[in-house]
Amino acid sequence: MEITKYEGKFIKVTEQEIDNAIWERAYIQSGVQVFPLTKEGKVYLIEERRPHEVNPIRLKFVTGLMDKEGEDPLETANREMQEEIGFKANHLEILMHRQSSGTINQHFYQVIATDLTPLKIPNPDGEETIVSIKAYSIDEVIDFFESGKIKWGIDALAIYRIKEMITNGKLTY
């Protein structure tokens, strides 16, 4: 029987005895990472205050958590863009979906957003967390990974994949 040891706003931790061993599981709320592309093929990044992190100001992609179980990741992506950068996408496409299971459990979607139109809704995290919003070329974003301005992660794979799709004519913006 799986027993909940902690349940917060974004994470739940459980234990379960299986074959005389205690197994821990962390359930993290499902989330999205969005790559909003301008008509020129640039991607919007946010410079944001994160006082609880090692670097209290960082450059990041549009990200967010699904507000309710079973929420459509494309709906989440559009809401997060409207909250964080003030745009809605008329076209959204799931680039990648990662489902982790075992000790860490989460669904994480990476979404390409194109055909953007201005539409701002209030950010429940507060508008004061955002320092700036700017669109950068894909090559500039790759340079940010290479220089360490943005830490390497699955988002780097997404940017390289987006660049390849643009180069091969499989992605229009």
Side-chain angles (χ1 to χ4, degrees), residues 1-53:
M1 174 184 207
E2 195 170 6
I3 300 167
T4 299
K5 293 294 187 171
Y6 171 80
E7 189 161 3
K9 186 176 177 182
F10 306 113
I11 189 168
K12 176 172 88 169
V13 179
T14 66
E15 288 183 350
Q16 183 176 9
E17 185 176 339
I18 302 172
D19 298 330
N20 297 318
I22 300 294
W23 294 89
E24 298 171 336
R25 291 188 186 100
Y27 294 90
I28 301 170
Q29 196 171 342
S30 295
V32 297
Q33 181 176 50
V34 189
F35 303 94
L37 296 175
T38 68
K39 291 178 181 176
E40 297 76 33
K42 294 182 175 187
V43 63
Y44 279 104
L45 293 175
I46 302 163
E47 189 176 22
E48 180 180 60
R49 285 185 191 84
R50 304 292 289 181
H52 64 292
E53 295 183 9

Side-chain angles (χ1 to χ4, degrees), residues 17-149:
E17 185 176 339
I18 302 172
D19 298 330
N20 297 318
I22 300 294
W23 294 89
E24 298 171 336
R25 291 188 186 100
Y27 294 90
I28 301 170
Q29 196 171 342
S30 295
V32 297
Q33 181 176 50
V34 189
F35 303 94
L37 296 175
T38 68
K39 291 178 181 176
E40 297 76 33
K42 294 182 175 187
V43 63
Y44 279 104
L45 293 175
I46 302 163
E47 189 176 22
E48 180 180 60
R49 285 185 191 84
R50 304 292 289 181
H52 64 292
E53 295 183 9
V54 173
N55 296 320
I57 295 182
R58 67 169 175 159
L59 198 56
K60 73 170 204 99
F61 298 95
V62 173
T63 57
L65 299 172
M66 294 181 185
D67 284 347
K68 55 189 179 279
E69 188 69 32
E71 182 177 22
D72 181 340
L74 300 179
E75 179 183 318
T76 303
N78 240 344
R79 184 188 70 249
E80 290 297 333
M81 283 193 313
Q82 291 170 67
E83 291 173 358
E84 293 185 5
I85 64 169
F87 285 99
K88 177 181 179 177
N90 294 306
H91 181 77
L92 294 156
E93 175 183 341
I94 294 176
L95 178 65
M96 291 187 272
H97 168 230
R98 180 186 75 221
Q99 178 182 356
S100 53
S101 66
T103 303
I104 307 292
N105 297 271
Q106 182 192 36
H107 285 273
F108 186 73
Y109 299 86
Q110 291 178 299
V111 177
I112 298 171
T114 55
D115 192 13
L116 307 178
T117 56
L119 182 58
K120 177 73 174 119
I121 62 174
N123 188 342
D125 298 333
E127 304 297 338
E128 66 280 354
T129 61
I130 295 175
V131 175
S132 68
I133 301 164
K134 185 178 173 189
Y136 297 91
S137 72
I138 299 295
D139 287 333
E140 287 175 303
V141 175
I142 289 170
D143 287 344
F144 293 155
F145 285 114
E146 306 225 351
S147 70
K149 190 170 185 173

